[in-house]
Amino acid sequence: MKYRQLTKEQFESLHVEFAHFLASQSIDVNEWDQIKKEKPHVAEEEMNVFSDVVWDDVLTRIEYLEHFSANIINLFKCHKETLHRIVVKVTVSTINLMEKEGYEWLLKNPSHEQVEILEGTKEYQQERNTELFDLIEKGSSISKGELYEYFNRLITKS
């Protein structure tokens, strides 16, 4: 397995797609029920293959990721060959970027002396999707990139 199996909730939300996936292998609902009962290892393998297909599709489409902690935000723009990262660090001890007030403070005060903004670009060390999956497993979330683009504009003006 390349990634990890989808959760029960993810499978439930993708039940129509999973049914199509099974149908593409000429497995109908009755046969699927029989496989689950008589050959659970085969059922598990089908679920793993489907999970990898879904993850690959999702990961291939990702353009932006972001990861928040109390005083640091990591913003990623996921290009085909490279990953551009903007790190926003707040050294004001009373500011928690994971809380609404802290986040709003940062947006109003991005040039504050206790806000550090760093950036860098790196080539992927592994396959792109594998690296993005690893970032997600470590707590990053897929985003539309608004925050990345906001800070990228600030950096570009400097």
Side-chain angles (χ1 to χ4, degrees), residues 73-84:
I73 302 174
N74 283 284
L75 305 166
F76 302 94
K77 184 164 186 177
C78 312
H79 300 282
K80 187 175 182 176
E81 303 291 330
T82 59
L83 186 65
H84 187 253

Side-chain angles (χ1 to χ4, degrees), residues 35-84:
I35 290 170
K36 288 192 301 185
K37 197 179 299 178
E38 296 172 10
K39 299 177 188 172
H41 63 285
V42 173
E44 192 75 17
E45 187 55 36
E46 290 295 331
M47 293 168 69
N48 289 345
V49 170
F50 178 73
S51 295
D52 279 348
V53 168
V54 170
W55 275 115
D56 256 334
D57 183 52
V58 168
L59 294 165
T60 298
R61 290 195 239 169
I62 290 176
E63 292 183 51
Y64 298 94
L65 290 171
E66 53 191 35
H67 185 274
F68 283 76
S69 66
N71 64 339
I72 297 175
I73 302 174
N74 283 284
L75 305 166
F76 302 94
K77 184 164 186 177
C78 312
H79 300 282
K80 187 175 182 176
E81 303 291 330
T82 59
L83 186 65
H84 187 253

Side-chain angles (χ1 to χ4, degrees), residues 10 30-31 34 39 44 47 49 62 66 68 79 84 87 91 97 104-105 108 119 130 132 140-141 154 156-157:
Q10 289 167 327
N30 294 330
E31 188 175 353
Q34 186 178 352
K39 299 177 188 172
E44 192 75 17
M47 293 168 69
V49 170
I62 290 176
E66 53 191 35
F68 283 76
H79 300 282
H84 187 253
V87 179
T91 57
L97 298 171
E104 288 173 351
W105 178 90
K108 290 176 186 167
E119 68 169 326
T130 303
L132 299 185
S140 292
S141 302
L154 288 176
T156 321
K157 286 181 184 177

Side-chain angles (χ1 to χ4, degrees), residues 81-109:
E81 303 291 330
T82 59
L83 186 65
H84 187 253
R85 178 180 179 192
I86 298 174
V87 179
V88 182
K89 182 177 181 181
V90 176
T91 57
V92 180
S93 62
T94 57
I95 300 296
N96 182 343
L97 298 171
M98 295 180 74
E99 295 175 352
K100 183 180 179 194
E101 297 80 21
Y103 179 77
E104 288 173 351
W105 178 90
L106 174 63
L107 293 180
K108 290 176 186 167
N109 301 284

Side-chain angles (χ1 to χ4, degrees), residues 6-25 27-29 32 50 53-54:
L6 298 172
T7 63
K8 182 181 182 206
E9 292 79 17
Q10 289 167 327
F11 267 110
E12 287 172 358
S13 70
L14 294 168
H15 72 278
V16 172
E17 291 83 353
F18 187 56
H20 289 295
F21 171 78
L22 292 174
S24 73
Q25 298 178 61
I27 300 173
D28 64 20
V29 70
W32 177 243
F50 178 73
V53 168
V54 170

